[in-house]
Amino acid sequence: QSVLTQPPSVSAAPGQKVTISCSGSSSYIGNNLLSWYQHLPGTAPKLLIYDNNKRPSGIPDRFSGSKSGSSATLGITGLQTGDEADYYCGTWDTSLSAVVFGGGTKVTVL
Amino acid sequence: QVQLVESGGGLVKPGGSLRLSCAASGFTFSDYYMSWIRQAPGKGLEWLSYISTSGTTMNYADSVKGRFTISRDNAKNSLYLQMNSLRAEDTAVYYCARLRSTGYQDDWGQGTLVTVSS
């Protein structure tokens, strides 16, 4: 069981917005930098957000990251059918010297 | 552009061994920490191990500690994962990824499938 908890699934219609939460203890979330990944089956996972809210080059601004208290959030606006994928939050746990991933959230475009 | 290509996966019997490789190109391999991550069928991403630029510092997830060994050859731009005492639950797609200083993986390979079955 991961220290980062995500909802198993979220869904919305094309064009709408979805948010995916990544929760943990307030000290854990507050003291660590969060990243978000998109994973389509059979492909390489893709980095969407790093250092809580930064987008790598080439990632559209439809994807956003934020953090507050004991939770981080990935937002996807203007939902497209191509956004159907699994999404994971992650962080570096300094005490473990290890990367930690959330359990993943499946996004369905209705 | 950054390219990471895993190889070495396949079918192995329980208790067997396998060595995965990850060939890196498009960046200065020796400047970056590297990770191995896997995804078992129907499961989420599981981080397995990281290695420092020089190869002198590494760490492992508890699930593979003592059975898997990460290494690298900077002269060959290659990352390795030696997997011993394999179990059915090690069946997964294994990915190598570049690990950045604040703990995120910015580039990933396409993965190689390891199946542990008798």
Side-chain angles (χ1 to χ4, degrees), chain A residues 16-108:
Chain A
Q16 296 300 302
K17 176 180 180 177
V18 294
T19 59
I20 301 170
S21 61
C22 175
S23 61
S25 69
S26 56
S27 59
Y28 195 82
I29 295 287
N31 292 338
N32 291 293
L33 295 171
L34 275 291
S35 52
W36 290 92
Y37 306 87
Q38 179 191 63
H39 191 204
L40 285 79
T43 69
K46 179 193 291 186
L47 176 68
L48 295 176
I49 299 289
Y50 67 99
D51 294 354
N52 299 330
N53 55 18
K54 298 176 183 175
R55 280 189 311 276
S57 172
I59 300 300
D61 59 6
R62 300 189 300 109
F63 295 91
S64 63
S66 63
K67 194 173 74 169
S68 179
S70 62
S71 183
T73 300
L74 174 71
I76 310 173
T77 59
L79 201 61
Q80 302 174 0
T81 55
D83 297 331
E84 279 206 339
D86 297 318
Y87 292 81
Y88 296 87
C89 60
T91 192
W92 174 261
D93 187 317
T94 303
S95 63
L96 295 176
S97 288
V99 172
V100 175
F101 291 109
T105 299
K106 182 174 181 60
V107 168
T108 301

Side-chain angles (χ1 to χ4, degrees), chain B residues 18 20-21 29 32 35 45-48 50 58 65 67 72 75-76 80-81 83 86 89 91 99 103 109-110:
Chain B
L18 213 53
L20 305 184
S21 299
F29 179 71
Y32 292 88
S35 282
L45 298 176
E46 179 188 15
W47 174 83
L48 299 178
Y50 86 90
M58 64 277 289
K65 198 171 289 184
R67 299 188 300 124
R72 64 191 297 162
K76 295 183 177 180
Y80 306 102
L81 187 67
M83 305 186 296
L86 283 162
E89 54 265 36
T91 294
L99 178 61
Q110 292 287 334

Side-chain angles (χ1 to χ4, degrees), chain B residues 20-71:
Chain B
L20 305 184
S21 299
C22 170
S25 60
F27 66 102
T28 305
F29 179 71
S30 57
D31 285 348
Y32 292 88
Y33 281 43
M34 298 294 294
S35 282
W36 284 101
I37 300 107
R38 70 183 178 187
Q39 184 180 37
K43 303 289 188 181
L45 298 176
E46 179 188 15
W47 174 83
L48 299 178
S49 182
Y50 86 90
I51 189 167
S52 63
T53 53
S54 63
T56 56
T57 302
M58 64 277 289
N59 196 24
Y60 301 89
D62 287 343
S63 59
V64 302
K65 198 171 289 184
R67 299 188 300 124
F68 290 11
T69 302
I70 192 171
S71 62

